[in-house]
Amino acid sequence: MVHTARRRWSDPWSWGALPGILFIVAGFGAALLFTINRSLTDPGPENYARLIEWRSLVILLNTFQASAIVVIVTLIGGYAYAYAMRVGPKALKIYLMLFLAVQFATSSVARAFAWIELLQTNGVINKLLISAGIIDQPLKLMRNDLGAIIGTSHVLLPHMILVLYASMQRVDLATVSAARSLGASRIRAFWQIFVPATRAGILTGCGLIFILGLSFYATPALLGNPSRQMISASIMTQSEYGNFGAASAMSTTLVLITLLGLLLINLCNRSMSDRRSS
């Protein structure tokens, strides 16, 4: 591993990334040190003691629960989308990639307001359902957990798709064809050959979406339940009331959880890579 790292940095082109790395580390490090210092001095370390109070634990649990549900939704939708990009005809791949690019180019706030128009009581979805005779009264589709999950999943879905598609690109489709030629059905070949070959992508995508979901603010604030605050909304609330020490303690905790998640993803990927190589 050490020799591999040395070979990478021996390439002159690798040093071109150094200014960007230093800029990111310096900016992130300075902000993190300032936040940690504020959490310990305004008014003191008791800011962290408040994080184990029942109200703070409920906020953390709500955030974890919402992020986990978003992971499941984006994994199901993202896998189907990425699979279509991998095995579909060239024309379909181009259209799907263009649509994905449009999603990245559109602001998350703009997409949240679009969902408001669709999900509100007199929105498009309720009007269509009522006009079709499916329901008599409008459904409550936003300002609750459902609205937050729908909006957040829509914003984070492109990230899951790209991670899964990158993993699927490494899969040799000839192995799936070989399994089918030996008598396996299309579904069996998919579940027993293709899906296991993309486990690293599934793990990385789920970890990435979970981490991003923990710190999501705008979409849950616009579409979610105001009585079920997420940790990012709680940080904003504490800041608005001038409790910068408590907000800093929450922010530091969120950063530590994020770094721990990234470490676990890296360790799991290395473990799977070692198993394949052995």
Side-chain angles (χ1 to χ4, degrees):
M1 185 181 299
V2 175
H3 294 295
T4 302
R6 287 178 178 174
R7 285 198 300 270
R8 288 174 181 172
W9 286 109
S10 63
D11 185 358
W13 289 103
S14 300
W15 291 97
L18 190 59
I21 294 174
L22 292 176
F23 179 78
I24 293 173
V25 171
F28 175 76
L32 181 60
L33 289 175
F34 175 80
T35 303
I36 293 174
N37 179 69
R38 193 69 180 268
S39 68
L40 294 173
T41 59
D42 184 15
E46 59 268 23
N47 289 318
Y48 289 95
R50 296 174 185 170
L51 296 178
I52 59 175
E53 294 178 355
W54 177 248
R55 183 176 180 276
S56 299
L57 292 177
V58 169
I59 291 174
L60 195 60
L61 180 61
N62 290 340
T63 306
F64 277 26
Q65 183 183 26
S67 296
I69 296 174
V70 169
V71 166
I72 295 173
V73 173
T74 54
L75 176 61
I76 295 172
Y79 205 96
Y81 195 107
Y83 184 74
M85 290 175 60
R86 178 68 179 94
V87 303
K90 185 176 181 180
L92 178 62
K93 293 180 182 180
I94 294 174
Y95 284 120
L96 291 177
M97 188 62 75
L98 287 175
F99 186 71
L100 196 62
V102 170
Q103 294 294 307
F104 274 109
T106 306
S107 167
S108 60
V109 177
R111 281 186 273 179
F113 278 106
W115 277 112
I116 291 175
E117 292 297 320
L118 292 172
L119 300 176
Q120 62 185 333
T121 304
N122 59 343
V124 175
I125 294 178
N126 273 314
K127 287 181 178 178
L128 289 175
L129 292 176
I130 292 174
S131 62
I134 298 175
I135 59 175
D136 297 324
Q137 299 293 330
L139 300 175
K140 187 175 177 57
L141 301 176
M142 59 172 288
R143 306 306 291 171
N144 52 23
D145 294 343
L146 177 62
I149 290 170
I150 291 174
T152 304
S153 298
H154 179 235
V155 174
L156 296 181
L157 182 61
H159 298 81
M160 175 69 85
I161 292 172
L162 287 183
V163 173
L164 292 174
Y165 181 67
S167 178
M168 291 179 184
Q169 284 287 84
R170 303 188 187 99
V171 179
D172 187 1
L173 296 180
T175 58
V176 180
S177 300
R180 294 195 61 196
S181 66
L182 293 174
S185 64
R186 184 186 297 270
I187 296 177
R188 187 176 181 182
F190 172 77
W191 282 108
Q192 295 188 1
I193 303 297
F194 190 86
V195 173
T198 60
R199 281 181 296 184
I202 293 173
L203 176 63
T204 303
C206 289
L208 175 65
I209 299 303
F210 186 80
I211 290 171
L212 292 175
L214 292 178
S215 58
F216 231 57
Y217 171 71
T219 304
L222 292 171
L223 298 171
N225 188 348
S227 63
R228 281 173 60 88
Q229 271 194 338
M230 305 299 175
I231 189 169
S232 55
S234 181
I235 292 171
M236 183 63 67
T237 301
Q238 294 292 339
S239 301
E240 290 174 350
Y241 282 100
N243 300 325
F244 297 109
S248 297
M250 289 183 179
S251 300
T252 303
T253 303
L254 185 58
V255 170
L256 291 176
I257 293 173
T258 301
L259 293 177
L260 179 60
L262 292 174
L263 177 62
L264 289 175
I265 293 172
N266 187 38
L267 291 176
C268 290
N269 281 334
R270 285 188 179 183
S271 176
M272 286 192 294
S273 179
D274 291 341
R275 289 177 185 175
R276 287 195 298 267
S277 60
S278 60

